[in-house]
Each structure stands twice: as structure tokens, then as C-alpha cells.
Amino acid sequence: DALPILKKYPLPLRNGKEAKILQNFGDGICRMLDDKLAKHYAEHGPDAPIHNLVSFSSVKSSSSKKKKKAKQPENMSHGLTVVQPPQGTSTDETESEILVPSKPKTTKAKKTREYVPQKRSGGYAVLLTLYKDSMNPDSRGYLTKAELQRSAQHLCDKSFSLAEPG
């Protein structure tokens, strides 16, 4: 969920605290980003670049082609995965891995259901009236709002023209 938000954000982020303003970036993810950044600076020096020129889409497409899971350190268990960038795309050989959000757990897709309005409701009256009109050989193919309200009113318990008090 965080990756699309991160892709849309136009400015570079220098630390995890700056990512806190983004949707789906909570304290845990921001803390992990800060930890990863501190580790990167410890390994590569305080002046090491933190932005890789590899786009997330190329990382995502290259990692999805591999059958193996990307390596994931023990301390990175909150939905982030360390991924190796595609060969030949990094401008700095010291940057050998980047941090991207891992795919969320897949949930069962909701079954799509037909819309069936409750009897005597506004939707029921409108749909039934439009259906009856479409079956009429002399129909123009549409009804004006006033015609629809007048024709559907007897099929509905609520008024189409008067607001409810309250």
C-alpha cells in the first residue's frame, strides 16, 4: 500500500521522519527506514548517496520475474523487503540493494453481487419504471425527471418530490 504513495511523492526523502507525512507510513516503517539509512551510512560513509537511480517499476518487474524470494533480514519484518537492483542499472557500485515495500498478503477476492434494490425503495421504483418504459414499443428511450418521478411514485413508500421532515 505504501509503494504507490511513495511513487507519487515528487520530492526526495532524506530520512524516515520525512516519510511520516505520507499515507501508510507509520512509526514502525519510518523507524525501519531510519535504521536502514543508519546502516547504509555506517557501511558506505556519511557522504554516501542515498538515492538510487533505479526506478521502483524496474525493481518490481525484475524481482517479479525471479522465482526466489528476495532476501529479507531478520529485523525487517514489517512489510519491507531488501531487493537487489537489476544488473547494469545502478550508477554507484556500492549501492547494491534498495528497500521497497513487500507485497501485502493476498486476501480472498470479494464475490461480486448483483444490485437488487429493496422492494418499495426509491431504487426499486426507478429501476422498475425505467424497465417497464424500455419494454414499451412507443418509448422514446428516456424519461424526464418529472415523468420518472410521477411514473415511479406509486411503486415507492417515500416521496420523490417532498423532503422528509427532520
Side-chain angles (χ1 to χ4, degrees):
D1 291 339
L3 183 58
I5 303 298
L6 189 60
K7 282 182 185 180
K8 290 179 185 176
Y9 191 70
L11 303 174
L13 298 171
R14 291 179 292 280
N15 58 46
K17 290 177 189 160
E18 289 181 3
K20 180 80 169 145
I21 64 170
L22 300 175
Q23 185 179 3
N24 299 326
F25 281 80
D27 292 332
I29 291 178
C30 292
R31 191 172 28 258
M32 284 187 293
L33 289 172
D34 281 333
D35 292 345
K36 182 68 178 170
L37 188 59
K39 180 181 173 187
H40 176 76
Y41 283 145
E43 290 176 7
H44 304 289
D47 296 329
I50 58 172
H51 299 286
N52 196 331
L53 295 178
V54 176
S55 69
F56 284 109
S57 59
S58 66
V59 170
K60 190 174 182 181
S61 64
S62 70
S63 64
S64 63
K65 290 177 187 173
K66 295 178 183 177
K67 295 283 182 184
K68 293 181 181 178
K69 280 187 171 180
K71 73 175 187 178
Q72 188 169 1
E74 297 79 28
N75 62 350
M76 302 298 286
S77 60
H78 296 284
L80 295 175
T81 305
V82 177
V83 179
Q84 300 295 326
Q87 297 250 343
T89 56
S90 179
T91 57
D92 185 0
E93 292 181 11
T94 60
E95 288 188 40
S96 60
E97 53 188 37
I98 58 174
L99 192 63
V100 294
S102 58
K103 291 183 180 179
K105 293 181 181 177
T106 56
T107 57
K108 291 183 181 179
K110 291 185 178 180
K111 293 180 182 178
T112 56
R113 296 186 335 198
E114 288 183 352
Y115 172 67
V116 181
Q118 200 165 21
K119 238 180 192 176
R120 306 288 304 166
S121 70
Y124 170 83
V126 167
L127 286 175
L128 195 57
T129 301
L130 289 172
Y131 176 73
K132 285 180 181 178
D133 184 66
S134 71
M135 292 292 133
N136 183 355
D138 298 328
S139 172
R140 299 179 304 217
Y142 66 92
L143 293 172
T144 64
K145 180 179 176 180
E147 291 170 333
L148 182 58
Q149 286 176 328
R150 193 172 36 259
S151 300
Q153 186 60 68
H154 75 280
L155 297 169
C156 183
D157 291 336
K158 308 270 179 162
S159 174
F160 282 115
S161 56
L162 300 175
E164 285 193 13

